[in-house]
Amino acid sequence: MSQELITVTQLPVIEERLQSISETIQAQTEKVLSLAVTEDTYKQIKKRRTELTKRFNLLEDQRKAVKQKVMAPYDAFEEVYKKYVTDIFKPADTKLKSRIDEVEKTLLENKKKEVATYFQEASAAQNIDFVTFDDIEIKVLFSDSMKKLREQVDNALEKITGELAVIATLDYPEEILVEYKDNLNLTKSVLTVKNRKERLAAELQRKAKTQMSAPIARSMPSPEPITPVANDPEPEATPLEAAPEVATMAEPECEPEQSLITIIIKAHSCEEVMTITEICKARRLEYTIS
């Protein structure tokens, strides 16, 4: 087996004589396997297997040697390639990328400033002084054109102007406007004020009912005992039902037996006034609207 079965004749050409080896091995294996199973054939099979293993190991050694011969020039070439190409290209690419990112960042910041300036001018022209550029949440991308960004600003301001016009037509516009300036959400602002008004009206009505439902006697002072004078005629008793009439008499010389209670209620809307007057009518109470 001194003959080289695999040789490197000229890179990357490799002389191959492996097919004949494969055919020989297959023929010898089939021949041994066809023998009858006896003690002698058992020994032959073991011998043939040992020979095949030895031959395979020899071929593996030659393959590794050939690989080393083939790879040696390539390894040398790769070292040169790495030195003059890879080690030069990668740092250069990293530097160029860093420079590109820096330029893009600068250009993007300049574009944002330009859009913000346009927003300030446009909002001032429309008398919108409670909104900042950040409030309208326009995302400025490097690839966006200034025409597109200006259109986004115009659309945002147009929306705000339209909502301000709507607010002016609603009830409680000042209160809704305060909420709107805080959140720039028309629906939320209207609902916030509406809910607050409803809670306030309910609370005022509850308090009014609580005060009016208390017994009248609790708000009246206890009458002072009268000591009868001898030989004087007994004063005529005043019926209880006539007490309110005495309280409303205009003669200054008559001292009313019941003191009037005056309650001042400040209402913030016509709705609240109507609620309070309905309560007074139901209780038959006198009231004055000023």
Side-chain angles (χ1 to χ4, degrees):
M1 298 296 295
S2 59
Q3 183 180 11
E4 294 290 338
L5 299 177
I6 306 174
T7 58
V8 180
T9 58
Q10 181 180 0
L11 291 178
V13 179
I14 301 176
E15 186 177 350
E16 301 179 0
R17 286 180 286 179
L18 302 177
Q19 184 176 359
S20 60
I21 297 175
S22 173
E23 294 173 353
T24 301
I25 293 173
Q26 289 178 353
Q28 291 177 351
T29 302
E30 291 175 359
K31 180 179 179 181
V32 172
L33 293 176
S34 66
L35 297 176
V37 181
T38 63
E39 185 176 350
D40 292 337
T41 58
Y42 169 73
K43 293 179 180 179
Q44 290 183 27
I45 293 172
K46 288 191 65 177
K47 180 180 178 182
R48 176 55 57 193
R49 182 172 180 272
T50 301
E51 291 176 353
L52 288 176
T53 301
K54 182 178 179 180
R55 195 167 189 183
F56 175 74
N57 291 336
L58 178 62
L59 288 171
E60 277 293 289
D61 291 341
Q62 292 186 23
R63 180 189 65 79
K64 293 176 182 178
V66 168
K67 180 181 178 181
Q68 185 175 6
K69 291 180 180 180
V70 172
M71 293 301 296
Y74 178 78
D75 290 341
F77 161 75
E78 193 174 45
E79 285 295 324
V80 175
Y81 182 86
K82 182 176 181 297
K83 178 180 180 181
Y84 292 105
V85 178
T86 304
D87 293 348
I88 300 300
F89 175 83
K90 286 188 175 181
D93 180 69
T94 300
K95 292 178 181 179
L96 290 174
K97 184 180 182 304
S98 177
R99 181 58 176 170
I100 290 173
D101 293 342
E102 181 182 351
V103 173
E104 286 185 351
K105 181 179 179 181
T106 301
L107 294 176
L108 183 60
E109 289 297 326
N110 292 339
K111 182 175 292 187
K112 288 181 179 179
K113 292 179 180 178
E114 185 175 352
V115 178
T117 301
Y118 176 79
F119 165 80
Q120 292 173 358
E121 295 173 351
S123 59
Q126 300 183 40
N127 296 321
I128 299 176
D129 57 357
F130 57 90
V131 181
T132 65
F133 178 68
D134 293 334
D135 290 336
I136 61 176
E137 297 180 348
I138 292 181
K139 188 175 182 180
V140 181
L141 301 178
F142 181 78
S143 57
D144 291 337
S145 65
M146 283 303 303
K147 179 181 178 182
K148 176 182 177 181
L149 295 172
R150 290 193 187 97
E151 289 177 353
Q152 293 181 24
V153 171
D154 293 338
N155 292 337
L157 292 176
E158 182 179 353
K159 177 176 178 292
I160 294 173
T161 301
E163 291 177 340
L164 291 176
V166 172
I167 291 174
T169 65
L170 301 176
D171 294 334
Y172 319 113
E174 295 81 5
E175 296 182 47
I176 296 176
L177 181 59
V178 170
E179 298 293 336
Y180 182 77
K181 287 183 177 182
D182 183 60
N183 55 42
L184 294 182
N185 187 315
L186 177 58
T187 302
K188 182 178 179 181
S189 301
V190 173
L191 290 177
T192 298
V193 174
K194 179 177 179 293
N195 293 336
R196 183 165 60 237
K197 291 295 182 181
E198 290 177 351
R199 293 196 304 270
L200 179 60
E203 180 63 19
L204 291 174
Q205 187 174 6
R206 185 192 66 80
K207 288 184 177 181
K209 287 183 178 180
T210 301
Q211 295 174 356
M212 299 306 176
S213 62
I216 298 177
R218 293 183 181 179
S219 60
M220 296 172 55
S222 300
E224 296 182 1
I226 302 175
T227 304
V229 181
N231 298 325
D232 287 344
E234 185 176 352
E236 184 179 356
T238 303
L240 180 60
E241 292 77 9
E245 297 179 2
V246 174
T248 58
M249 293 177 63
E251 289 78 6
E253 64 273 8
C254 296
E255 182 69 20
E257 295 182 4
Q258 297 181 0
S259 61
L260 294 178
I261 299 174
T262 302
I263 300 175
I264 299 176
I265 300 176
K266 293 183 178 180
H268 298 81
S269 66
C270 293
E271 182 181 355
E272 295 175 1
V273 172
M274 293 298 296
T275 300
I276 295 171
T277 55
E278 289 297 327
I279 295 173
C280 293
K281 290 177 181 180
R283 297 285 177 175
R284 297 183 179 179
L285 303 174
E286 294 183 1
Y287 61 90
T288 300
I289 300 176
S290 59

